[in-house]
RNA sequence: GCCCCUGUCGUCUAGUCAGGUUAGGACAUCGCCCUUUCAAGGCGGUAGCAUGGGUUCAAGUCCCGUCGGGGGCGCCA
């Protein structure tokens, strides 16, 4: 079995396309088949090398490895349509010789008039077939003399055309509604509907999974296969990915391009996991699955036919679960760029062993709060910065809070240093003074973290305490510094 | 306008092909438990077969209509 993903390098890859790529990949791998990457760059106006490169990088980032493609070649190359022009021309001429295609000299303006007319009369538009009967010899002469022409395929007119869709079952059309369509444009480049057929045939593609916007292209393509005497592949049409309002997902709904999801701190495996479940449900109850598990369980015939709304709630949950499955070290390595941006560290691997251990401990404490990797610096910040929550400080002005603050200050103001052991001693002292439980721990939390909630207090104290003698790019704030800051804030007001 | 696809909790879906279930799960939401706090975790609740007919002892499931959503009708892909 051979499947392909054939994007156009006319922009950054969209999550909808990622889903298409994924389903092709899963279906291929499920059956031990090949996954092929082909670049459809016949739209010379909009295609660029930069987009092609970013496309390849994106698919690589996702972990969807391809067996054949423009960068690695393969038995059935080249894998860029712009490098296959001769092939398209050759076969177009073959069709003309067999009387299945013809030169058309109608100008875009003339066609526009035809379309307008059809619209006015309320009739469905279809190319008139005006040039269909120009004798081949005469047509060839006009072309040789430099007249602009396209090549059109004589679309067989058939009342009850049917094909069997991998996802939707039988779909039928009245081909009388289809006009003769262009296969070679006047600039010599092939049209989409023609190029895919040539390529998919010569690349021995067996199954094609694509968006439902291609359903009505399918009869044209199948008829081309038949005209050449080739066996058409299986077709499966996926529903669209929708925005929260139910309209097709687009930029106005927010992020749609894959690079943005990387920047937002989503894990590629989480994104794939989520996308796989948009329109398909794994059997059994498990939903958090690796790419290999998805391959094992995937079944193209079970994919749903209706459009699916892209839901960040669920994506976030899936991402969170995948992050929890990562080790502390992996989280630090994969979150490196976000930590660099916030100047927390230069890179996990540049750290000394003791510092690495410290960071792992810190991550372990805040791991369950991570939804995306961008949360990593924010959550870790509690160790480096003293961010104060106004509401929380109100508590320190109340009697019980004041008591704890004063007692802490009295105990440590001379020493100017607080160790973890000191804290445990302090807790005993406080208890002797009659302060305990919530009355004690909650103010302590506010004093040392500035917040009324967060990491478990004993873990927090232990981590801060053990960071004292390590060399960091940025030093965690010591307990005494934190106490001082709390005092200052209270005194100021 | 014409053609095609599609409709189960707010969201993603299982169930529809071979009619019989208290219509199941997950996310979100709400509540409880755990926790000196938050989160995580555990337990529980709210919530759905678009609509009207028909077939049948029995319809989410089969048939017809209506309504809604989407796509296509290019020398774009």
């Amino acid at each position: 079995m051979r499947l392909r993903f054939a994007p156009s390098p006319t922009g950054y890859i969209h999550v909808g396309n990622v889903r298409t790529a994924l389903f092709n990949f899963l279906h291929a791998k499920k059956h031990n088949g090949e996954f092929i990457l082909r670049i459809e760059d016949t739209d010379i106006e909009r295609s660029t090398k930069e987009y092609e490169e970013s496309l390849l990088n994106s698919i690589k980032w996702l972990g969807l490895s391809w067996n054949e493609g423009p960068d690695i070649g393969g038995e059935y190359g080249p894998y860029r349509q712009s490098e296959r022009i001769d092939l398209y021309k050759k076969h177009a001429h073959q069709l003309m010789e067999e009387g299945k295609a013809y030169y058309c000299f109608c100008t875009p303006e003339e066609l526009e008039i035809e379309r307008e007319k059809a619209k006015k009369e309320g009739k469905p538009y279809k190319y008139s077939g005006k040039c269909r009967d120009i004798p081949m010899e005469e047509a060839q002469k006009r072309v040789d003399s430099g007249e602009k022409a396209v090549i059109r395929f004589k679309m067989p007119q058939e009342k009850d055309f049917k094909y069997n869709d991998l996802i939707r079952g039988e779909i039928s059309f009245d081909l009388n509604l289809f006009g003769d369509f262009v296969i070679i444009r006047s600039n010599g480049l092939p049209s989409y509907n023609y190029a895919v057929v040539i390529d998919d045939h010569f690349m021995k593609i067996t199954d094609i999974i694509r968006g439902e916007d291609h359903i009505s292209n399918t009869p044209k393509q199948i008829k081309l296969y038949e005209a050449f005497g080739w066996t058409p592949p299986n077709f499966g049409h996926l529903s669209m990915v929708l925005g929260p309002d139910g309209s097709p997902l687009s930029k106005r709904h927010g992020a749609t391009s894959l690079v943005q999801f990387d920047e937002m701190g989503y894990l590629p495996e989480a994104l794939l996991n989520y996308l796989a479940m948009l329109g398909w449900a794994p059997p059994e109850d498990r939903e958090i699955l690796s790419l290999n598990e998805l391959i094992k369980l995937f079944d193209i015939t079970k994919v749903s036919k209706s459009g699916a709304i892209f839901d960040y709630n669920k994506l976030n949950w899936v991402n969170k679960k995948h992050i929890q499955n990562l080790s502390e070290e992996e989280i630090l390595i994969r979150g490196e760029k976000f930590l660099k941006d916030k100047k927390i560290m230069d890179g996990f691997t540049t750290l000394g062993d003791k510092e690495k251990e410290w960071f792992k401990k810190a991550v372990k404490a805040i791991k369950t709060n991570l939804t995306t990797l961008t949360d990593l610096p924010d959550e870790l910040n509690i160790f480096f910065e003293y961010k104060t929550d106004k509401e929380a400080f109100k508590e320190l002005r109340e009697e019980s809070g004041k008591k704890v603050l004063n007692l802490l200050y009295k105990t440590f103001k001379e020493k100017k240093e607080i160790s973890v052991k000191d804290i445990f001693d302090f807790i005993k002292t406080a208890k002797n003074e009659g302060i305990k439980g919530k009355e004690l721990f909650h103010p302590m939390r506010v004093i040392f973290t500035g917040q009324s909630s967060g990491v478990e207090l004993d873990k927090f104290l232990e981590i801060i305490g053990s960071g004292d003698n390590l060399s960091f790019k940025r030093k965690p704030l010591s307990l005494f510094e934190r106490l001082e800051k709390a005092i200052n804030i209270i005194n100021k007001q």
Side-chain angles (χ1 to χ4, degrees), chain A residues 122 125 168 185 216 277 279 287 321 441 445:
Chain A
Y125 172 71
R168 289 156 201 273
R185 298 185 260 160
S216 49
M277 293 193 296
E287 292 199 294
K321 290 289 185 185
F441 289 101
R445 164 184 296 283

mmCIF file of all heavy atoms in Angstrom, chain A residues 122 125 168 185 216 277 279 287 321 441 445, chain B residues 1 5 12-13 26 36-37 72 74 76-77:
data_model
loop_
_atom_site.group_PDB
_atom_site.id
_atom_site.type_symbol
_atom_site.label_atom_id
_atom_site.label_comp_id
_atom_site.label_asym_id
_atom_site.label_seq_id
_atom_site.Cartn_x
_atom_site.Cartn_y
_atom_site.Cartn_z
ATOM 1 N N GLY A 122 -29.566 31.604 -14.661
ATOM 2 C CA GLY A 122 -29.815 30.677 -13.558
ATOM 3 C C GLY A 122 -29.474 29.253 -13.897
ATOM 4 O O GLY A 122 -29.981 28.319 -13.295
ATOM 5 N N TYR A 125 -23.097 26.442 -14.566
ATOM 6 C CA TYR A 125 -22.070 26.683 -15.570
ATOM 7 C C TYR A 125 -21.354 25.407 -15.968
ATOM 8 O O TYR A 125 -21.067 24.556 -15.135
ATOM 9 C CB TYR A 125 -21.034 27.703 -15.073
ATOM 10 C CG TYR A 125 -19.874 27.807 -16.030
ATOM 11 C CD1 TYR A 125 -20.069 28.421 -17.268
ATOM 12 C CD2 TYR A 125 -18.650 27.240 -15.744
ATOM 13 C CE1 TYR A 125 -19.033 28.477 -18.193
ATOM 14 C CE2 TYR A 125 -17.605 27.287 -16.657
ATOM 15 C CZ TYR A 125 -17.799 27.910 -17.885
ATOM 16 O OH TYR A 125 -16.784 27.949 -18.796
ATOM 17 N N ARG A 168 -16.952 7.411 2.967
ATOM 18 C CA ARG A 168 -18.364 7.756 2.813
ATOM 19 C C ARG A 168 -19.212 6.726 2.087
ATOM 20 O O ARG A 168 -20.421 6.909 1.923
ATOM 21 C CB ARG A 168 -18.489 9.095 2.076
ATOM 22 C CG ARG A 168 -18.043 10.237 2.949
ATOM 23 C CD ARG A 168 -17.593 11.425 2.131
ATOM 24 N NE ARG A 168 -16.732 12.271 2.945
ATOM 25 C CZ ARG A 168 -17.186 13.240 3.738
ATOM 26 N NH1 ARG A 168 -18.465 13.514 3.789
ATOM 27 N NH2 ARG A 168 -16.358 13.944 4.464
ATOM 28 N N ARG A 185 -2.434 24.091 -18.990
ATOM 29 C CA ARG A 185 -2.740 25.519 -19.089
ATOM 30 C C ARG A 185 -1.932 26.145 -20.221
ATOM 31 O O ARG A 185 -0.999 25.533 -20.737
ATOM 32 C CB ARG A 185 -2.392 26.198 -17.768
ATOM 33 C CG ARG A 185 -3.209 25.667 -16.614
ATOM 34 C CD ARG A 185 -2.922 26.442 -15.359
ATOM 35 N NE ARG A 185 -1.986 25.738 -14.495
ATOM 36 C CZ ARG A 185 -1.279 26.343 -13.544
ATOM 37 N NH1 ARG A 185 -1.380 27.646 -13.377
ATOM 38 N NH2 ARG A 185 -0.469 25.652 -12.789
ATOM 39 N N SER A 216 -15.856 16.535 -5.418
ATOM 40 C CA SER A 216 -16.341 16.737 -6.790
ATOM 41 C C SER A 216 -15.218 16.744 -7.826
ATOM 42 O O SER A 216 -15.491 16.812 -9.020
ATOM 43 C CB SER A 216 -17.186 18.004 -6.882
ATOM 44 O OG SER A 216 -16.509 19.068 -6.287
ATOM 45 N N MET A 277 -7.915 12.145 16.914
ATOM 46 C CA MET A 277 -9.234 11.933 17.539
ATOM 47 C C MET A 277 -10.287 12.917 17.048
ATOM 48 O O MET A 277 -11.430 12.886 17.493
ATOM 49 C CB MET A 277 -9.109 12.023 19.058
ATOM 50 C CG MET A 277 -8.300 10.873 19.615
ATOM 51 S SD MET A 277 -8.443 10.742 21.388
ATOM 52 C CE MET A 277 -7.696 12.272 21.908
ATOM 53 N N GLY A 279 -12.555 13.300 14.573
ATOM 54 C CA GLY A 279 -13.161 12.556 13.478
ATOM 55 C C GLY A 279 -12.892 11.072 13.560
ATOM 56 O O GLY A 279 -13.299 10.310 12.692
ATOM 57 N N GLU A 287 -7.318 7.149 25.396
ATOM 58 C CA GLU A 287 -7.282 8.261 24.458
ATOM 59 C C GLU A 287 -5.889 8.852 24.303
ATOM 60 O O GLU A 287 -5.597 9.508 23.315
ATOM 61 C CB GLU A 287 -8.231 9.365 24.926
ATOM 62 C CG GLU A 287 -9.684 8.957 24.830
ATOM 63 C CD GLU A 287 -10.618 10.138 24.832
ATOM 64 O OE1 GLU A 287 -10.690 10.831 25.874
ATOM 65 O OE2 GLU A 287 -11.245 10.388 23.809
ATOM 66 N N LYS A 321 -1.483 15.673 29.412
ATOM 67 C CA LYS A 321 -1.241 14.255 29.658
ATOM 68 C C LYS A 321 0.087 13.809 29.056
ATOM 69 O O LYS A 321 0.821 13.030 29.658
ATOM 70 C CB LYS A 321 -2.372 13.410 29.061
ATOM 71 C CG LYS A 321 -3.673 13.562 29.814
ATOM 72 C CD LYS A 321 -3.565 12.882 31.150
ATOM 73 C CE LYS A 321 -4.897 12.901 31.877
ATOM 74 N NZ LYS A 321 -4.783 12.346 33.228
ATOM 75 N N PHE A 441 0.889 27.808 58.800
ATOM 76 C CA PHE A 441 1.390 27.456 57.475
ATOM 77 C C PHE A 441 0.942 28.401 56.369
ATOM 78 O O PHE A 441 1.693 28.682 55.449
ATOM 79 C CB PHE A 441 1.002 26.011 57.130
ATOM 80 C CG PHE A 441 1.766 25.017 57.946
ATOM 81 C CD1 PHE A 441 1.197 24.391 59.052
ATOM 82 C CD2 PHE A 441 3.083 24.751 57.636
ATOM 83 C CE1 PHE A 441 1.919 23.490 59.814
ATOM 84 C CE2 PHE A 441 3.816 23.843 58.391
ATOM 85 C CZ PHE A 441 3.241 23.213 59.488
ATOM 86 N N ARG A 445 3.408 30.450 53.881
ATOM 87 C CA ARG A 445 3.339 30.325 52.424
ATOM 88 C C ARG A 445 3.343 31.698 51.770
ATOM 89 O O ARG A 445 4.092 31.947 50.821
ATOM 90 C CB ARG A 445 2.073 29.567 52.014
ATOM 91 C CG ARG A 445 1.716 29.712 50.541
ATOM 92 C CD ARG A 445 0.422 29.025 50.211
ATOM 93 N NE ARG A 445 0.548 27.580 50.412
ATOM 94 C CZ ARG A 445 1.181 26.772 49.557
ATOM 95 N NH1 ARG A 445 1.731 27.267 48.471
ATOM 96 N NH2 ARG A 445 1.252 25.493 49.795
ATOM 97 P P G B 1 -31.111 29.446 -4.496
ATOM 98 O OP1 G B 1 -32.364 28.822 -4.059
ATOM 99 O OP2 G B 1 -29.885 29.076 -3.751
ATOM 100 O "O5'" G B 1 -30.853 29.025 -6.013
ATOM 101 C "C5'" G B 1 -31.847 29.264 -7.015
ATOM 102 C "C4'" G B 1 -31.268 28.835 -8.324
ATOM 103 O "O4'" G B 1 -30.082 29.634 -8.586
ATOM 104 C "C3'" G B 1 -30.768 27.397 -8.348
ATOM 105 O "O3'" G B 1 -31.824 26.520 -8.704
ATOM 106 C "C2'" G B 1 -29.679 27.448 -9.417
ATOM 107 O "O2'" G B 1 -30.216 27.411 -10.723
ATOM 108 C "C1'" G B 1 -29.053 28.822 -9.171
ATOM 109 N N9 G B 1 -27.910 28.803 -8.256
ATOM 110 C C8 G B 1 -27.844 29.365 -7.007
ATOM 111 N N7 G B 1 -26.679 29.216 -6.428
ATOM 112 C C5 G B 1 -25.931 28.505 -7.360
ATOM 113 C C6 G B 1 -24.585 28.054 -7.298
ATOM 114 O O6 G B 1 -23.777 28.191 -6.378
ATOM 115 N N1 G B 1 -24.210 27.365 -8.458
ATOM 116 C C2 G B 1 -25.039 27.150 -9.525
ATOM 117 N N2 G B 1 -24.506 26.477 -10.551
ATOM 118 N N3 G B 1 -26.298 27.582 -9.598
ATOM 119 C C4 G B 1 -26.669 28.240 -8.495
ATOM 120 P P C B 5 -24.086 12.515 -2.150
ATOM 121 O OP1 C B 5 -23.904 11.058 -2.241
ATOM 122 O OP2 C B 5 -25.436 13.097 -2.038
ATOM 123 O "O5'" C B 5 -23.235 13.070 -0.921
ATOM 124 C "C5'" C B 5 -21.869 12.708 -0.760
ATOM 125 C "C4'" C B 5 -21.259 13.510 0.359
ATOM 126 O "O4'" C B 5 -21.365 14.928 0.069
ATOM 127 C "C3'" C B 5 -21.948 13.383 1.701
ATOM 128 O "O3'" C B 5 -21.569 12.198 2.367
ATOM 129 C "C2'" C B 5 -21.424 14.625 2.413
ATOM 130 O "O2'" C B 5 -20.085 14.468 2.803
ATOM 131 C "C1'" C B 5 -21.484 15.650 1.287
ATOM 132 N N1 C B 5 -22.743 16.427 1.284
ATOM 133 C C2 C B 5 -22.888 17.452 2.229
ATOM 134 O O2 C B 5 -21.975 17.653 3.046
ATOM 135 N N3 C B 5 -24.022 18.191 2.240
ATOM 136 C C4 C B 5 -24.986 17.935 1.352
ATOM 137 N N4 C B 5 -26.086 18.696 1.390
ATOM 138 C C5 C B 5 -24.862 16.892 0.371
ATOM 139 C C6 C B 5 -23.741 16.167 0.378
ATOM 140 P P C B 12 -18.092 18.705 17.670
ATOM 141 O OP1 C B 12 -17.836 19.116 16.280
ATOM 142 O OP2 C B 12 -19.430 18.211 18.052
ATOM 143 O "O5'" C B 12 -17.023 17.610 18.090
ATOM 144 C "C5'" C B 12 -15.619 17.826 17.833
ATOM 145 C "C4'" C B 12 -14.842 16.627 18.305
ATOM 146 O "O4'" C B 12 -14.944 16.512 19.745
ATOM 147 C "C3'" C B 12 -15.384 15.296 17.807
ATOM 148 O "O3'" C B 12 -14.978 15.050 16.474
ATOM 149 C "C2'" C B 12 -14.780 14.343 18.820
ATOM 150 O "O2'" C B 12 -13.415 14.128 18.571
ATOM 151 C "C1'" C B 12 -14.952 15.138 20.118
ATOM 152 N N1 C B 12 -16.233 14.832 20.787
ATOM 153 C C2 C B 12 -16.293 13.708 21.638
ATOM 154 O O2 C B 12 -15.275 13.035 21.803
ATOM 155 N N3 C B 12 -17.471 13.409 22.243
ATOM 156 C C4 C B 12 -18.553 14.169 22.034
ATOM 157 N N4 C B 12 -19.693 13.845 22.650
ATOM 158 C C5 C B 12 -18.514 15.314 21.174
ATOM 159 C C6 C B 12 -17.347 15.601 20.580
ATOM 160 P P U B 13 -15.886 14.126 15.542
ATOM 161 O OP1 U B 13 -15.234 14.036 14.244
ATOM 162 O OP2 U B 13 -17.304 14.556 15.638
ATOM 163 O "O5'" U B 13 -15.711 12.734 16.285
ATOM 164 C "C5'" U B 13 -16.729 11.770 16.291
ATOM 165 C "C4'" U B 13 -16.462 10.839 17.448
ATOM 166 O "O4'" U B 13 -16.718 11.533 18.697
ATOM 167 C "C3'" U B 13 -17.353 9.613 17.516
ATOM 168 O "O3'" U B 13 -16.797 8.590 16.683
ATOM 169 C "C2'" U B 13 -17.299 9.250 18.983
ATOM 170 O "O2'" U B 13 -16.101 8.590 19.301
ATOM 171 C "C1'" U B 13 -17.296 10.640 19.642
ATOM 172 N N1 U B 13 -18.640 11.134 19.971
ATOM 173 C C2 U B 13 -19.321 10.475 20.983
ATOM 174 O O2 U B 13 -18.845 9.536 21.592
ATOM 175 N N3 U B 13 -20.572 10.977 21.263
ATOM 176 C C4 U B 13 -21.201 12.023 20.639
ATOM 177 O O4 U B 13 -22.330 12.346 20.998
ATOM 178 C C5 U B 13 -20.424 12.653 19.607
ATOM 179 C C6 U B 13 -19.213 12.195 19.311
ATOM 180 P P A B 26 -15.206 8.844 31.197
ATOM 181 O OP1 A B 26 -14.281 8.501 32.301
ATOM 182 O OP2 A B 26 -16.512 9.487 31.487
ATOM 183 O "O5'" A B 26 -14.432 9.758 30.155
ATOM 184 C "C5'" A B 26 -13.121 9.401 29.732
ATOM 185 C "C4'" A B 26 -12.650 10.391 28.688
ATOM 186 O "O4'" A B 26 -13.505 10.289 27.521
ATOM 187 C "C3'" A B 26 -12.767 11.862 29.097
ATOM 188 O "O3'" A B 26 -11.678 12.267 29.894
ATOM 189 C "C2'" A B 26 -12.776 12.536 27.742
ATOM 190 O "O2'" A B 26 -11.485 12.565 27.175
ATOM 191 C "C1'" A B 26 -13.664 11.577 26.941
ATOM 192 N N9 A B 26 -15.073 11.966 27.031
ATOM 193 C C8 A B 26 -16.070 11.445 27.814
ATOM 194 N N7 A B 26 -17.233 12.039 27.661
ATOM 195 C C5 A B 26 -16.985 13.028 26.721
ATOM 196 C C6 A B 26 -17.810 14.006 26.136
ATOM 197 N N6 A B 26 -19.102 14.154 26.424
ATOM 198 N N1 A B 26 -17.249 14.839 25.241
ATOM 199 C C2 A B 26 -15.943 14.694 24.948
ATOM 200 N N3 A B 26 -15.059 13.809 25.431
ATOM 201 C C4 A B 26 -15.663 12.992 26.322
ATOM 202 P P U B 36 -2.904 18.556 55.137
ATOM 203 O OP1 U B 36 -1.536 18.663 55.682
ATOM 204 O OP2 U B 36 -3.881 17.645 55.781
ATOM 205 O "O5'" U B 36 -3.531 19.999 55.028
ATOM 206 C "C5'" U B 36 -4.457 20.453 56.015
ATOM 207 C "C4'" U B 36 -4.403 21.949 56.067
ATOM 208 O "O4'" U B 36 -3.160 22.350 56.703
ATOM 209 C "C3'" U B 36 -4.344 22.618 54.703
ATOM 210 O "O3'" U B 36 -5.654 22.826 54.196
ATOM 211 C "C2'" U B 36 -3.663 23.949 55.025
ATOM 212 O "O2'" U B 36 -4.564 24.879 55.566
ATOM 213 C "C1'" U B 36 -2.665 23.523 56.106
ATOM 214 N N1 U B 36 -1.323 23.254 55.566
ATOM 215 C C2 U B 36 -0.483 24.325 55.358
ATOM 216 O O2 U B 36 -0.803 25.462 55.578
ATOM 217 N N3 U B 36 0.739 24.013 54.843
ATOM 218 C C4 U B 36 1.212 22.752 54.543
ATOM 219 O O4 U B 36 2.343 22.617 54.102
ATOM 220 C C5 U B 36 0.279 21.685 54.780
ATOM 221 C C6 U B 36 -0.925 21.976 55.287
ATOM 222 P P U B 37 -5.963 22.401 52.693
ATOM 223 O OP1 U B 37 -7.421 22.272 52.597
ATOM 224 O OP2 U B 37 -5.090 21.266 52.330
ATOM 225 O "O5'" U B 37 -5.515 23.658 51.842
ATOM 226 C "C5'" U B 37 -6.164 24.921 52.029
ATOM 227 C "C4'" U B 37 -5.667 25.893 51.004
ATOM 228 O "O4'" U B 37 -4.227 26.069 51.167
ATOM 229 C "C3'" U B 37 -5.804 25.432 49.560
ATOM 230 O "O3'" U B 37 -7.094 25.705 49.066
ATOM 231 C "C2'" U B 37 -4.755 26.271 48.862
ATOM 232 O "O2'" U B 37 -5.198 27.582 48.647
ATOM 233 C "C1'" U B 37 -3.627 26.288 49.909
ATOM 234 N N1 U B 37 -2.607 25.243 49.669
ATOM 235 C C2 U B 37 -1.756 25.426 48.599
ATOM 236 O O2 U B 37 -1.815 26.389 47.857
ATOM 237 N N3 U B 37 -0.824 24.437 48.425
ATOM 238 C C4 U B 37 -0.663 23.312 49.193
ATOM 239 O O4 U B 37 0.226 22.514 48.908
ATOM 240 C C5 U B 37 -1.596 23.189 50.286
ATOM 241 C C6 U B 37 -2.509 24.138 50.479
ATOM 242 P P G B 72 -14.829 24.692 -1.863
ATOM 243 O OP1 G B 72 -13.369 24.795 -1.975
ATOM 244 O OP2 G B 72 -15.648 25.887 -1.559
ATOM 245 O "O5'" G B 72 -15.428 24.024 -3.180
ATOM 246 C "C5'" G B 72 -14.791 22.871 -3.730
ATOM 247 C "C4'" G B 72 -15.646 22.333 -4.842
ATOM 248 O "O4'" G B 72 -16.974 22.041 -4.331
ATOM 249 C "C3'" G B 72 -15.915 23.286 -5.989
ATOM 250 O "O3'" G B 72 -14.819 23.322 -6.880
ATOM 251 C "C2'" G B 72 -17.143 22.639 -6.619
ATOM 252 O "O2'" G B 72 -16.803 21.498 -7.373
ATOM 253 C "C1'" G B 72 -17.917 22.200 -5.375
ATOM 254 N N9 G B 72 -18.919 23.186 -4.973
ATOM 255 C C8 G B 72 -18.864 24.092 -3.944
ATOM 256 N N7 G B 72 -19.947 24.823 -3.845
ATOM 257 C C5 G B 72 -20.767 24.368 -4.864
ATOM 258 C C6 G B 72 -22.074 24.783 -5.263
ATOM 259 O O6 G B 72 -22.791 25.647 -4.761
ATOM 260 N N1 G B 72 -22.532 24.064 -6.359
ATOM 261 C C2 G B 72 -21.823 23.077 -7.005
ATOM 262 N N2 G B 72 -22.424 22.500 -8.049
ATOM 263 N N3 G B 72 -20.612 22.674 -6.644
ATOM 264 C C4 G B 72 -20.146 23.363 -5.571
ATOM 265 P P G B 74 -16.166 26.496 -13.099
ATOM 266 O OP1 G B 74 -16.032 27.565 -12.088
ATOM 267 O OP2 G B 74 -16.711 26.802 -14.424
ATOM 268 O "O5'" G B 74 -14.805 25.674 -13.417
ATOM 269 C "C5'" G B 74 -13.633 25.937 -12.893
ATOM 270 C "C4'" G B 74 -12.783 26.895 -13.718
ATOM 271 O "O4'" G B 74 -12.720 28.110 -12.966
ATOM 272 C "C3'" G B 74 -11.387 26.325 -13.858
ATOM 273 O "O3'" G B 74 -10.799 26.349 -15.157
ATOM 274 C "C2'" G B 74 -10.624 26.992 -12.678
ATOM 275 O "O2'" G B 74 -9.318 27.191 -12.962
ATOM 276 C "C1'" G B 74 -11.432 28.276 -12.409
ATOM 277 N N9 G B 74 -11.532 28.464 -10.933
ATOM 278 C C8 G B 74 -12.455 27.937 -10.076
ATOM 279 N N7 G B 74 -12.259 28.287 -8.832
ATOM 280 C C5 G B 74 -11.143 29.104 -8.870
ATOM 281 C C6 G B 74 -10.450 29.776 -7.832
ATOM 282 O O6 G B 74 -10.704 29.785 -6.627
ATOM 283 N N1 G B 74 -9.360 30.492 -8.331
ATOM 284 C C2 G B 74 -8.983 30.547 -9.639
ATOM 285 N N2 G B 74 -7.917 31.287 -9.916
ATOM 286 N N3 G B 74 -9.610 29.926 -10.613
ATOM 287 C C4 G B 74 -10.677 29.228 -10.165
ATOM 288 P P C B 76 -4.621 28.414 -13.548
ATOM 289 O OP1 C B 76 -4.159 29.643 -14.192
ATOM 290 O OP2 C B 76 -3.763 27.230 -13.491
ATOM 291 O "O5'" C B 76 -5.011 28.844 -12.064
ATOM 292 C "C5'" C B 76 -5.883 28.068 -11.279
ATOM 293 C "C4'" C B 76 -5.259 28.007 -9.930
ATOM 294 O "O4'" C B 76 -6.215 28.472 -8.949
ATOM 295 C "C3'" C B 76 -4.895 26.603 -9.485
ATOM 296 O "O3'" C B 76 -3.621 26.241 -9.976
ATOM 297 C "C2'" C B 76 -4.901 26.771 -7.976
ATOM 298 O "O2'" C B 76 -3.734 27.392 -7.529
ATOM 299 C "C1'" C B 76 -6.087 27.720 -7.765
ATOM 300 N N1 C B 76 -7.365 27.019 -7.512
ATOM 301 C C2 C B 76 -7.820 26.979 -6.185
ATOM 302 O O2 C B 76 -7.143 27.533 -5.313
ATOM 303 N N3 C B 76 -8.989 26.345 -5.894
ATOM 304 C C4 C B 76 -9.684 25.766 -6.863
ATOM 305 N N4 C B 76 -10.813 25.165 -6.536
ATOM 306 C C5 C B 76 -9.242 25.785 -8.228
ATOM 307 C C6 C B 76 -8.080 26.410 -8.508
ATOM 308 P P A B 77 -3.185 24.732 -10.093
ATOM 309 O OP1 A B 77 -1.782 24.777 -10.554
ATOM 310 O OP2 A B 77 -4.174 23.972 -10.852
ATOM 311 O "O5'" A B 77 -3.222 24.207 -8.593
ATOM 312 C "C5'" A B 77 -2.173 24.471 -7.664
ATOM 313 C "C4'" A B 77 -2.617 23.941 -6.321
ATOM 314 O "O4'" A B 77 -3.926 24.493 -6.010
ATOM 315 C "C3'" A B 77 -2.823 22.432 -6.269
ATOM 316 O "O3'" A B 77 -1.628 21.761 -5.975
ATOM 317 C "C2'" A B 77 -3.853 22.286 -5.156
ATOM 318 O "O2'" A B 77 -3.280 22.390 -3.886
ATOM 319 C "C1'" A B 77 -4.741 23.502 -5.391
ATOM 320 N N9 A B 77 -5.882 23.191 -6.273
ATOM 321 C C8 A B 77 -5.907 23.149 -7.639
ATOM 322 N N7 A B 77 -7.084 22.843 -8.138
ATOM 323 C C5 A B 77 -7.886 22.669 -7.019
ATOM 324 C C6 A B 77 -9.244 22.338 -6.872
ATOM 325 N N6 A B 77 -10.074 22.105 -7.898
ATOM 326 N N1 A B 77 -9.747 22.242 -5.619
ATOM 327 C C2 A B 77 -8.916 22.464 -4.592
ATOM 328 N N3 A B 77 -7.623 22.793 -4.599
ATOM 329 C C4 A B 77 -7.165 22.879 -5.862
#
